[in-house]
């Protein structure tokens, strides 16, 4: 069993969530908070892995000059714009 001192502002916030019926109990609020943190941590792990892959590609020379990339993106997005009348 976990016991947590949230401090007065968070205790009040949690109590209000329960009082208004948004959650059935303080434990339910805290479980939801932990689930949100789990989700955020999982997304951060994916992001860090992508950054690591990108850095490995850069270290291995698998890159393109920024000017080429920006020119390609600009051409692609210009092609999406409606034709000027």
């Amino acid at each position: 069993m976990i016991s947590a001192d949230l401090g007065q502002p968070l205790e009040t916030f949690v109590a209000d969530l329960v009082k208004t019926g948004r959650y059935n109990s303080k434990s339910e609020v805290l479980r939801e908070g932990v689930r949100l943190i789990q989700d955020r941590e999982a997304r951060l792990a994916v992001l860090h892995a992508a950054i690591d892959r990108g850095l490995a590609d850069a270290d291995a020379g698998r890159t393109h000059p920024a000017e080429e990339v920006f020119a390609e993106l600009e051409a692609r997005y210009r092609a999406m714009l409606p034709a000027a009348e």
Side-chain angles (χ1 to χ4, degrees):
M1 183 68 116
I2 295 176
S3 175
D5 179 10
L6 301 178
Q8 192 55 50
L10 290 177
E11 284 281 350
T12 300
F13 182 70
V14 169
D16 287 345
L17 289 170
V18 174
K19 183 177 162 185
T20 60
R22 176 70 175 89
Y23 291 88
N24 293 319
S25 68
K26 291 178 181 180
S27 293
E28 192 176 302
V29 174
L30 296 179
R31 281 192 298 273
E32 177 72 10
V34 172
R35 281 191 290 269
L36 290 170
I37 292 169
Q38 282 179 314
D39 181 56
R40 182 185 69 198
E41 292 298 317
R43 286 184 282 124
L44 282 173
V46 170
L47 177 61
H48 284 290
I51 290 170
D52 289 342
R53 284 191 308 275
L55 290 173
D57 283 345
D59 289 343
R62 294 184 297 265
T63 61
H64 300 282
E67 296 80 16
E68 287 179 20
V69 174
F70 293 142
E72 181 182 329
L73 289 172
E74 185 176 356
R76 189 178 302 173
Y77 290 117
R78 281 189 191 278
M80 295 174 153
L81 293 174
E85 295 180 21

